[in-house]
Amino acid sequence: MTKIDRDFERSQQLYALKSMCFTDSGLYNWTFENDNGKNPNMSRAKCYVDRWNKMRSENIGLLLWGDVGTGKSYFAACIANALIEQGVSVRMTNFSAILNDLFSCDDKNEYINKLNESSLLIIDDLGIERDTEYALEQVYNIIDARYKSNKPLIVTTNLSLTELKNPVDTAHKRIYDRVLEMCVPIRFNGENIRCEKAKRKMDTAKRLFDTEV
C-alpha cells in the first residue's frame, strides 16, 4: 500500500469516527489547534488526552461546570477530536437528543448499550433536559449504565457545584451523586465567549453599515 493509499484510508477512518462522535459537523474543527488561547483550563484537556490510557484504565471522568459560554463544550470537543486522532471511539451528545431518541426507540436497552460502546462518552449541558419523571428516570438510567460499563464519562453543565451537591429532590440526587462519583469537577469561569463573539459581530456590522460605497 502506498503512502497516498495509507493517508486516504486514515482520513476515511477519522471521518467515520467523527461522524459517529458528533451530530454537528461544525464540531469537527473544535480542536486544540484552533483554540484562541483564552481558556486557562485547556492545559487540563491536553493533559487528559496525553494521559488517556491511565484515565481510561482508572475510569476517570470530568465534570465541567460553570456559567454559560465559558468554553466547556469547546474543551470537551477538543478532547474528543484529539482522541479520535489516536483512533479512540468517542461519542458526544446531550440528554435532549438522547431523550428524543429514546422516546421513539423500540429497544431502549439496545440504544443505551450502543452509547456505551464508545471508549469515552461526553454528555453536554446536563440540566437543560425536560424535568419530568420520565426524563429524570431515563437520565439516571444512562448515567448508571455508563457507571456500570466502567468507562469514562465527561459531563458539562451550567449548574453550580453547590446545586449539584444539594439537589432539590431524590430524583435529581440519584443523578448528581452518580456524576460526582464518576467525574472530577473542573470549574469554568470568566468572560462569556458567546457574548464576546456577538459583540465582535455587532462591531463589524456597524463598521460595514457605516462604510460609504
Side-chain angles (χ1 to χ4, degrees):
M1 182 181 292
T2 66
K3 183 178 183 304
I4 293 176
D5 290 334
R6 289 195 300 271
D7 289 345
F8 177 76
E9 184 176 333
R10 173 173 163 75
S11 68
Q12 292 296 100
Q13 291 171 345
L14 292 179
Y15 181 79
L17 285 172
K18 291 195 175 193
S19 297
M20 289 186 289
C21 178
F22 305 113
T23 55
D24 180 358
S25 61
L27 273 64
Y28 293 7
N29 295 319
W30 287 22
T31 63
F32 292 129
E33 292 76 17
N34 293 328
D35 178 43
N36 61 15
K38 293 185 177 181
N39 189 338
N41 283 315
M42 200 56 74
S43 60
R44 296 182 178 184
K46 293 177 180 177
C47 180
Y48 191 86
V49 172
D50 291 342
R51 300 178 182 176
W52 164 248
N53 289 335
K54 187 67 173 177
M55 300 295 183
R56 172 66 184 88
S57 64
E58 297 292 331
N59 190 16
I60 297 173
L62 301 175
L63 170 63
L64 315 178
W65 67 277
D67 292 335
V68 173
T70 48
K72 301 182 295 295
S73 298
Y74 191 92
F75 178 106
C78 281
I79 290 176
N81 278 303
L83 288 177
I84 286 171
E85 289 289 333
Q86 298 178 17
V88 177
S89 60
V90 184
R91 177 76 181 272
M92 184 169 179
T93 184
N94 59 65
F95 278 123
S96 294
I98 289 173
L99 290 171
N100 286 337
D101 290 342
L102 283 173
F103 186 75
S104 58
C105 186
D106 293 329
D107 190 336
K108 292 178 173 53
N109 288 331
E110 182 181 356
Y111 178 87
I112 293 173
N113 290 336
K114 192 73 175 175
L115 279 180
N116 286 323
E117 288 179 0
S118 298
S119 297
L120 175 64
L121 177 62
I122 300 173
I123 299 182
D124 205 18
D125 281 336
L126 172 66
I128 67 165
E129 63 279 347
R130 294 186 296 274
D131 203 15
T132 64
E133 183 179 348
Y134 170 82
L136 292 174
E137 184 63 27
Q138 296 306 319
V139 168
Y140 176 77
N141 288 339
I142 294 292
I143 296 293
D144 189 55
R146 190 64 185 181
Y147 174 81
K148 291 174 180 175
S149 75
N150 200 36
K151 293 179 181 179
L153 170 71
I154 293 178
V155 174
T156 79
T157 183
N158 297 329
L159 299 171
S160 69
L161 203 56
T162 299
E163 290 174 303
L164 292 165
K165 289 181 176 180
N166 300 278
V168 296
D169 53 38
T170 302
H172 287 86
K173 180 176 174 56
R174 294 170 73 213
I175 296 167
Y176 299 163
D177 281 357
R178 265 288 188 257
V179 170
L180 290 168
E181 182 181 356
M182 299 169 68
C183 304
V184 177
I186 298 178
R187 182 179 182 181
F188 284 68
N189 51 27
E191 187 174 1
N192 187 317
I193 299 170
R194 297 175 194 169
C195 289
E196 181 186 348
K197 288 181 178 178
K199 183 179 183 302
R200 285 203 306 268
K201 287 187 177 181
M202 182 66 72
D203 291 342
T204 300
K206 286 171 66 176
R207 287 196 303 271
L208 291 172
F209 287 135
D210 291 341
T211 302
E212 294 184 1
V213 179

mmCIF file of all heavy atoms in Angstrom, residues 94-133:
data_model
loop_
_atom_site.group_PDB
_atom_site.id
_atom_site.type_symbol
_atom_site.label_atom_id
_atom_site.label_comp_id
_atom_site.label_asym_id
_atom_site.label_seq_id
_atom_site.Cartn_x
_atom_site.Cartn_y
_atom_site.Cartn_z
ATOM 1 N N ASN A 94 -26.098 15.093 23.941
ATOM 2 C CA ASN A 94 -26.712 15.740 25.101
ATOM 3 C C ASN A 94 -28.001 14.991 25.452
ATOM 4 O O ASN A 94 -28.519 14.194 24.660
ATOM 5 C CB ASN A 94 -26.982 17.218 24.842
ATOM 6 C CG ASN A 94 -27.890 17.452 23.656
ATOM 7 O OD1 ASN A 94 -29.060 17.071 23.675
ATOM 8 N ND2 ASN A 94 -27.358 18.073 22.604
ATOM 9 N N PHE A 95 -28.512 15.256 26.635
ATOM 10 C CA PHE A 95 -29.670 14.497 27.097
ATOM 11 C C PHE A 95 -30.941 14.837 26.328
ATOM 12 O O PHE A 95 -31.835 13.997 26.199
ATOM 13 C CB PHE A 95 -29.886 14.696 28.590
ATOM 14 C CG PHE A 95 -29.011 13.826 29.436
ATOM 15 C CD1 PHE A 95 -28.156 14.367 30.376
ATOM 16 C CD2 PHE A 95 -29.045 12.448 29.297
ATOM 17 C CE1 PHE A 95 -27.340 13.564 31.153
ATOM 18 C CE2 PHE A 95 -28.237 11.618 30.070
ATOM 19 C CZ PHE A 95 -27.386 12.186 31.005
ATOM 20 N N SER A 96 -31.035 16.039 25.796
ATOM 21 C CA SER A 96 -32.206 16.377 24.990
ATOM 22 C C SER A 96 -32.273 15.480 23.764
ATOM 23 O O SER A 96 -33.337 14.936 23.429
ATOM 24 C CB SER A 96 -32.151 17.853 24.570
ATOM 25 O OG SER A 96 -32.268 18.689 25.693
ATOM 26 N N ALA A 97 -31.130 15.304 23.098
ATOM 27 C CA ALA A 97 -31.080 14.421 21.920
ATOM 28 C C ALA A 97 -31.312 12.971 22.317
ATOM 29 O O ALA A 97 -32.031 12.224 21.634
ATOM 30 C CB ALA A 97 -29.734 14.579 21.222
ATOM 31 N N ILE A 98 -30.707 12.555 23.424
ATOM 32 C CA ILE A 98 -30.868 11.174 23.884
ATOM 33 C C ILE A 98 -32.328 10.875 24.203
ATOM 34 O O ILE A 98 -32.871 9.838 23.814
ATOM 35 C CB ILE A 98 -29.989 10.927 25.137
ATOM 36 C CG1 ILE A 98 -28.503 10.904 24.748
ATOM 37 C CG2 ILE A 98 -30.372 9.599 25.802
ATOM 38 C CD1 ILE A 98 -27.566 10.835 25.934
ATOM 39 N N LEU A 99 -32.985 11.791 24.909
ATOM 40 C CA LEU A 99 -34.380 11.574 25.285
ATOM 41 C C LEU A 99 -35.288 11.527 24.062
ATOM 42 O O LEU A 99 -36.238 10.739 24.010
ATOM 43 C CB LEU A 99 -34.835 12.670 26.252
ATOM 44 C CG LEU A 99 -34.197 12.596 27.648
ATOM 45 C CD1 LEU A 99 -34.536 13.841 28.453
ATOM 46 C CD2 LEU A 99 -34.659 11.349 28.390
ATOM 47 N N ASN A 100 -34.998 12.368 23.073
ATOM 48 C CA ASN A 100 -35.768 12.322 21.823
ATOM 49 C C ASN A 100 -35.609 10.969 21.137
ATOM 50 O O ASN A 100 -36.577 10.396 20.619
ATOM 51 C CB ASN A 100 -35.338 13.448 20.884
ATOM 52 C CG ASN A 100 -35.842 14.803 21.322
ATOM 53 O OD1 ASN A 100 -36.830 14.899 22.051
ATOM 54 N ND2 ASN A 100 -35.166 15.856 20.903
ATOM 55 N N ASP A 101 -34.362 10.472 21.122
ATOM 56 C CA ASP A 101 -34.102 9.164 20.512
ATOM 57 C C ASP A 101 -34.813 8.049 21.268
ATOM 58 O O ASP A 101 -35.419 7.157 20.671
ATOM 59 C CB ASP A 101 -32.595 8.878 20.474
ATOM 60 C CG ASP A 101 -31.849 9.757 19.484
ATOM 61 O OD1 ASP A 101 -32.513 10.335 18.595
ATOM 62 O OD2 ASP A 101 -30.624 9.873 19.615
ATOM 63 N N LEU A 102 -34.724 8.095 22.598
ATOM 64 C CA LEU A 102 -35.315 7.043 23.419
ATOM 65 C C LEU A 102 -36.833 7.000 23.287
ATOM 66 O O LEU A 102 -37.442 5.926 23.319
ATOM 67 C CB LEU A 102 -34.938 7.241 24.894
ATOM 68 C CG LEU A 102 -33.523 6.835 25.298
ATOM 69 C CD1 LEU A 102 -33.252 7.244 26.745
ATOM 70 C CD2 LEU A 102 -33.317 5.331 25.128
ATOM 71 N N PHE A 103 -37.438 8.170 23.140
ATOM 72 C CA PHE A 103 -38.894 8.250 23.062
ATOM 73 C C PHE A 103 -39.431 7.453 21.868
ATOM 74 O O PHE A 103 -40.492 6.837 21.944
ATOM 75 C CB PHE A 103 -39.337 9.713 22.959
ATOM 76 C CG PHE A 103 -40.824 9.896 23.020
ATOM 77 C CD1 PHE A 103 -41.505 9.779 24.223
ATOM 78 C CD2 PHE A 103 -41.556 10.160 21.869
ATOM 79 C CE1 PHE A 103 -42.886 9.937 24.287
ATOM 80 C CE2 PHE A 103 -42.938 10.311 21.917
ATOM 81 C CZ PHE A 103 -43.605 10.203 23.132
ATOM 82 N N SER A 104 -38.650 7.477 20.778
ATOM 83 C CA SER A 104 -39.099 6.776 19.561
ATOM 84 C C SER A 104 -38.370 5.452 19.350
ATOM 85 O O SER A 104 -38.477 4.840 18.287
ATOM 86 C CB SER A 104 -38.879 7.676 18.340
ATOM 87 O OG SER A 104 -37.512 8.043 18.229
ATOM 88 N N CYS A 105 -37.657 5.012 20.369
ATOM 89 C CA CYS A 105 -36.823 3.813 20.238
ATOM 90 C C CYS A 105 -37.592 2.573 20.710
ATOM 91 O O CYS A 105 -38.193 2.577 21.793
ATOM 92 C CB CYS A 105 -35.554 3.990 21.062
ATOM 93 S SG CYS A 105 -34.360 2.672 20.875
ATOM 94 N N ASP A 106 -37.564 1.504 19.924
ATOM 95 C CA ASP A 106 -38.249 0.266 20.297
ATOM 96 C C ASP A 106 -37.511 -0.479 21.405
ATOM 97 O O ASP A 106 -38.128 -1.041 22.305
ATOM 98 C CB ASP A 106 -38.399 -0.649 19.077
ATOM 99 C CG ASP A 106 -39.345 -0.063 18.037
ATOM 100 O OD1 ASP A 106 -40.287 0.653 18.440
ATOM 101 O OD2 ASP A 106 -39.135 -0.321 16.838
ATOM 102 N N ASP A 107 -36.184 -0.485 21.311
ATOM 103 C CA ASP A 107 -35.379 -1.203 22.298
ATOM 104 C C ASP A 107 -34.454 -0.215 23.005
ATOM 105 O O ASP A 107 -33.369 0.105 22.527
ATOM 106 C CB ASP A 107 -34.559 -2.302 21.607
ATOM 107 C CG ASP A 107 -33.894 -3.241 22.602
ATOM 108 O OD1 ASP A 107 -33.677 -2.823 23.758
ATOM 109 O OD2 ASP A 107 -33.596 -4.389 22.221
ATOM 110 N N LYS A 108 -34.894 0.290 24.154
ATOM 111 C CA LYS A 108 -34.135 1.309 24.881
ATOM 112 C C LYS A 108 -32.826 0.762 25.416
ATOM 113 O O LYS A 108 -31.806 1.464 25.443
ATOM 114 C CB LYS A 108 -34.988 1.893 26.009
ATOM 115 C CG LYS A 108 -36.168 2.718 25.514
ATOM 116 C CD LYS A 108 -37.008 3.242 26.664
ATOM 117 C CE LYS A 108 -38.093 4.205 26.170
ATOM 118 N NZ LYS A 108 -38.927 3.651 25.096
ATOM 119 N N ASN A 109 -32.820 -0.482 25.853
ATOM 120 C CA ASN A 109 -31.584 -1.084 26.370
ATOM 121 C C ASN A 109 -30.519 -1.185 25.282
ATOM 122 O O ASN A 109 -29.334 -0.946 25.537
ATOM 123 C CB ASN A 109 -31.869 -2.474 26.950
ATOM 124 C CG ASN A 109 -32.627 -2.403 28.258
ATOM 125 O OD1 ASN A 109 -32.499 -1.439 29.014
ATOM 126 N ND2 ASN A 109 -33.427 -3.422 28.536
ATOM 127 N N GLU A 110 -30.949 -1.533 24.081
ATOM 128 C CA GLU A 110 -30.004 -1.627 22.966
ATOM 129 C C GLU A 110 -29.406 -0.258 22.658
ATOM 130 O O GLU A 110 -28.210 -0.137 22.382
ATOM 131 C CB GLU A 110 -30.701 -2.178 21.727
ATOM 132 C CG GLU A 110 -29.766 -2.352 20.533
ATOM 133 C CD GLU A 110 -30.480 -2.876 19.298
ATOM 134 O OE1 GLU A 110 -31.680 -3.179 19.399
ATOM 135 O OE2 GLU A 110 -29.829 -2.974 18.241
ATOM 136 N N TYR A 111 -30.243 0.781 22.713
ATOM 137 C CA TYR A 111 -29.767 2.142 22.463
ATOM 138 C C TYR A 111 -28.727 2.546 23.511
ATOM 139 O O TYR A 111 -27.671 3.100 23.178
ATOM 140 C CB TYR A 111 -30.944 3.111 22.490
ATOM 141 C CG TYR A 111 -30.552 4.561 22.290
ATOM 142 C CD1 TYR A 111 -30.448 5.102 21.008
ATOM 143 C CD2 TYR A 111 -30.284 5.383 23.373
ATOM 144 C CE1 TYR A 111 -30.089 6.428 20.821
ATOM 145 C CE2 TYR A 111 -29.916 6.710 23.192
ATOM 146 C CZ TYR A 111 -29.822 7.233 21.920
ATOM 147 O OH TYR A 111 -29.462 8.540 21.741
ATOM 148 N N ILE A 112 -29.030 2.264 24.774
ATOM 149 C CA ILE A 112 -28.097 2.619 25.857
ATOM 150 C C ILE A 112 -26.802 1.830 25.721
ATOM 151 O O ILE A 112 -25.707 2.379 25.903
ATOM 152 C CB ILE A 112 -28.753 2.371 27.227
ATOM 153 C CG1 ILE A 112 -29.907 3.351 27.439
ATOM 154 C CG2 ILE A 112 -27.729 2.528 28.355
ATOM 155 C CD1 ILE A 112 -30.728 3.088 28.687
ATOM 156 N N ASN A 113 -26.908 0.557 25.378
ATOM 157 C CA ASN A 113 -25.705 -0.263 25.189
ATOM 158 C C ASN A 113 -24.848 0.281 24.046
ATOM 159 O O ASN A 113 -23.609 0.244 24.106
ATOM 160 C CB ASN A 113 -26.091 -1.712 24.906
ATOM 161 C CG ASN A 113 -26.676 -2.403 26.123
ATOM 162 O OD1 ASN A 113 -26.416 -2.006 27.257
ATOM 163 N ND2 ASN A 113 -27.470 -3.436 25.900
ATOM 164 N N LYS A 114 -25.502 0.786 23.012
ATOM 165 C CA LYS A 114 -24.783 1.358 21.872
ATOM 166 C C LYS A 114 -23.995 2.585 22.297
ATOM 167 O O LYS A 114 -22.848 2.785 21.869
ATOM 168 C CB LYS A 114 -25.781 1.728 20.766
ATOM 169 C CG LYS A 114 -25.139 2.052 19.427
ATOM 170 C CD LYS A 114 -24.622 0.815 18.744
ATOM 171 C CE LYS A 114 -24.090 1.146 17.356
ATOM 172 N NZ LYS A 114 -23.470 -0.032 16.699
ATOM 173 N N LEU A 115 -24.604 3.428 23.151
ATOM 174 C CA LEU A 115 -23.897 4.594 23.672
ATOM 175 C C LEU A 115 -22.619 4.172 24.400
ATOM 176 O O LEU A 115 -21.581 4.822 24.284
ATOM 177 C CB LEU A 115 -24.787 5.374 24.646
ATOM 178 C CG LEU A 115 -25.829 6.344 24.100
ATOM 179 C CD1 LEU A 115 -26.587 6.980 25.256
ATOM 180 C CD2 LEU A 115 -25.189 7.421 23.231
ATOM 181 N N ASN A 116 -22.725 3.082 25.146
ATOM 182 C CA ASN A 116 -21.608 2.667 25.986
ATOM 183 C C ASN A 116 -20.551 1.859 25.253
ATOM 184 O O ASN A 116 -19.564 1.447 25.853
ATOM 185 C CB ASN A 116 -22.143 1.882 27.194
ATOM 186 C CG ASN A 116 -22.802 2.797 28.200
ATOM 187 O OD1 ASN A 116 -22.339 3.915 28.418
ATOM 188 N ND2 ASN A 116 -23.881 2.334 28.808
ATOM 189 N N GLU A 117 -20.744 1.653 23.971
ATOM 190 C CA GLU A 117 -19.680 1.017 23.184
ATOM 191 C C GLU A 117 -18.494 1.956 23.015
ATOM 192 O O GLU A 117 -17.359 1.504 22.839
ATOM 193 C CB GLU A 117 -20.218 0.604 21.814
ATOM 194 C CG GLU A 117 -21.156 -0.597 21.863
ATOM 195 C CD GLU A 117 -21.690 -0.959 20.490
ATOM 196 O OE1 GLU A 117 -21.320 -0.280 19.510
ATOM 197 O OE2 GLU A 117 -22.489 -1.917 20.392
ATOM 198 N N SER A 118 -18.738 3.252 23.058
ATOM 199 C CA SER A 118 -17.661 4.234 22.891
ATOM 200 C C SER A 118 -16.740 4.216 24.099
ATOM 201 O O SER A 118 -17.189 4.097 25.248
ATOM 202 C CB SER A 118 -18.246 5.638 22.724
ATOM 203 O OG SER A 118 -19.049 5.715 21.571
ATOM 204 N N SER A 119 -15.446 4.363 23.837
ATOM 205 C CA SER A 119 -14.475 4.368 24.935
ATOM 206 C C SER A 119 -14.662 5.575 25.843
ATOM 207 O O SER A 119 -14.406 5.508 27.046
ATOM 208 C CB SER A 119 -13.054 4.360 24.374
ATOM 209 O OG SER A 119 -12.809 3.185 23.643
ATOM 210 N N LEU A 120 -15.112 6.701 25.251
ATOM 211 C CA LEU A 120 -15.401 7.909 26.034
ATOM 212 C C LEU A 120 -16.765 8.427 25.619
ATOM 213 O O LEU A 120 -17.045 8.582 24.426
ATOM 214 C CB LEU A 120 -14.345 8.989 25.797
ATOM 215 C CG LEU A 120 -14.602 10.346 26.478
ATOM 216 C CD1 LEU A 120 -14.577 10.195 28.002
ATOM 217 C CD2 LEU A 120 -13.577 11.384 26.033
ATOM 218 N N LEU A 121 -17.616 8.697 26.608
ATOM 219 C CA LEU A 121 -18.914 9.298 26.365
ATOM 220 C C LEU A 121 -18.912 10.712 26.931
ATOM 221 O O LEU A 121 -18.544 10.917 28.093
ATOM 222 C CB LEU A 121 -20.023 8.475 27.024
ATOM 223 C CG LEU A 121 -21.453 9.034 26.916
ATOM 224 C CD1 LEU A 121 -21.896 9.118 25.454
ATOM 225 C CD2 LEU A 121 -22.429 8.185 27.730
ATOM 226 N N ILE A 122 -19.291 11.681 26.107
ATOM 227 C CA ILE A 122 -19.374 13.082 26.530
ATOM 228 C C ILE A 122 -20.829 13.513 26.435
ATOM 229 O O ILE A 122 -21.440 13.408 25.368
ATOM 230 C CB ILE A 122 -18.504 13.995 25.649
ATOM 231 C CG1 ILE A 122 -17.037 13.562 25.720
ATOM 232 C CG2 ILE A 122 -18.653 15.455 26.080
ATOM 233 C CD1 ILE A 122 -16.136 14.312 24.739
ATOM 234 N N ILE A 123 -21.383 13.980 27.558
ATOM 235 C CA ILE A 123 -22.760 14.465 27.573
ATOM 236 C C ILE A 123 -22.750 15.951 27.900
ATOM 237 O O ILE A 123 -22.299 16.366 28.972
ATOM 238 C CB ILE A 123 -23.629 13.687 28.578
ATOM 239 C CG1 ILE A 123 -23.663 12.212 28.178
ATOM 240 C CG2 ILE A 123 -25.025 14.272 28.625
ATOM 241 C CD1 ILE A 123 -24.520 11.351 29.065
ATOM 242 N N ASP A 124 -23.231 16.725 26.956
ATOM 243 C CA ASP A 124 -23.185 18.185 27.039
ATOM 244 C C ASP A 124 -24.458 18.728 27.690
ATOM 245 O O ASP A 124 -25.558 18.235 27.439
ATOM 246 C CB ASP A 124 -23.045 18.751 25.616
ATOM 247 C CG ASP A 124 -22.394 20.121 25.585
ATOM 248 O OD1 ASP A 124 -21.751 20.502 26.578
ATOM 249 O OD2 ASP A 124 -22.523 20.798 24.554
ATOM 250 N N ASP A 125 -24.292 19.763 28.522
ATOM 251 C CA ASP A 125 -25.428 20.524 29.061
ATOM 252 C C ASP A 125 -26.370 19.715 29.946
ATOM 253 O O ASP A 125 -27.592 19.738 29.760
ATOM 254 C CB ASP A 125 -26.224 21.173 27.922
ATOM 255 C CG ASP A 125 -25.555 22.433 27.391
ATOM 256 O OD1 ASP A 125 -24.785 23.044 28.147
ATOM 257 O OD2 ASP A 125 -25.799 22.799 26.238
ATOM 258 N N LEU A 126 -25.835 19.014 30.918
ATOM 259 C CA LEU A 126 -26.677 18.376 31.926
ATOM 260 C C LEU A 126 -27.488 19.457 32.639
ATOM 261 O O LEU A 126 -26.945 20.475 33.072
ATOM 262 C CB LEU A 126 -25.799 17.641 32.950
ATOM 263 C CG LEU A 126 -26.511 17.083 34.191
ATOM 264 C CD1 LEU A 126 -27.468 15.972 33.802
ATOM 265 C CD2 LEU A 126 -25.490 16.592 35.220
ATOM 266 N N GLY A 127 -28.798 19.225 32.744
ATOM 267 C CA GLY A 127 -29.648 20.178 33.450
ATOM 268 C C GLY A 127 -30.603 20.930 32.551
ATOM 269 O O GLY A 127 -31.522 21.591 33.034
ATOM 270 N N ILE A 128 -30.397 20.860 31.213
ATOM 271 C CA ILE A 128 -31.307 21.582 30.313
ATOM 272 C C ILE A 128 -32.412 20.660 29.782
ATOM 273 O O ILE A 128 -33.318 21.119 29.097
ATOM 274 C CB ILE A 128 -30.555 22.208 29.118
ATOM 275 C CG1 ILE A 128 -29.993 21.110 28.194
ATOM 276 C CG2 ILE A 128 -29.461 23.140 29.585
ATOM 277 C CD1 ILE A 128 -29.563 21.644 26.842
ATOM 278 N N GLU A 129 -32.321 19.368 30.104
ATOM 279 C CA GLU A 129 -33.312 18.413 29.601
ATOM 280 C C GLU A 129 -34.662 18.621 30.304
ATOM 281 O O GLU A 129 -34.741 19.287 31.332
ATOM 282 C CB GLU A 129 -32.836 16.975 29.809
ATOM 283 C CG GLU A 129 -32.642 16.571 31.257
ATOM 284 C CD GLU A 129 -31.331 17.030 31.850
ATOM 285 O OE1 GLU A 129 -30.450 17.451 31.071
ATOM 286 O OE2 GLU A 129 -31.196 16.964 33.081
ATOM 287 N N ARG A 130 -35.694 18.033 29.756
ATOM 288 C CA ARG A 130 -37.026 18.145 30.344
ATOM 289 C C ARG A 130 -37.034 17.589 31.763
ATOM 290 O O ARG A 130 -36.471 16.535 32.032
ATOM 291 C CB ARG A 130 -38.044 17.377 29.481
ATOM 292 C CG ARG A 130 -38.239 17.973 28.099
ATOM 293 C CD ARG A 130 -39.361 17.272 27.346
ATOM 294 N NE ARG A 130 -39.064 15.876 27.082
ATOM 295 C CZ ARG A 130 -38.380 15.449 26.018
ATOM 296 N NH1 ARG A 130 -37.908 16.311 25.133
ATOM 297 N NH2 ARG A 130 -38.162 14.152 25.836
ATOM 298 N N ASP A 131 -37.706 18.304 32.657
ATOM 299 C CA ASP A 131 -37.680 17.965 34.075
ATOM 300 C C ASP A 131 -38.931 17.183 34.462
ATOM 301 O O ASP A 131 -39.666 17.544 35.380
ATOM 302 C CB ASP A 131 -37.579 19.254 34.896
ATOM 303 C CG ASP A 131 -36.994 19.005 36.273
ATOM 304 O OD1 ASP A 131 -36.414 17.929 36.480
ATOM 305 O OD2 ASP A 131 -37.116 19.894 37.136
ATOM 306 N N THR A 132 -39.166 16.070 33.750
ATOM 307 C CA THR A 132 -40.320 15.227 34.040
ATOM 308 C C THR A 132 -39.845 13.940 34.697
ATOM 309 O O THR A 132 -38.655 13.602 34.662
ATOM 310 C CB THR A 132 -41.083 14.877 32.753
ATOM 311 O OG1 THR A 132 -40.222 14.078 31.912
ATOM 312 C CG2 THR A 132 -41.495 16.146 32.000
ATOM 313 N N GLU A 133 -40.771 13.213 35.292
ATOM 314 C CA GLU A 133 -40.418 11.951 35.948
ATOM 315 C C GLU A 133 -39.795 10.976 34.949
ATOM 316 O O GLU A 133 -38.783 10.316 35.249
ATOM 317 C CB GLU A 133 -41.667 11.335 36.581
ATOM 318 C CG GLU A 133 -41.385 10.043 37.345
ATOM 319 C CD GLU A 133 -42.636 9.461 37.998
ATOM 320 O OE1 GLU A 133 -43.659 10.180 38.051
ATOM 321 O OE2 GLU A 133 -42.590 8.292 38.422
#
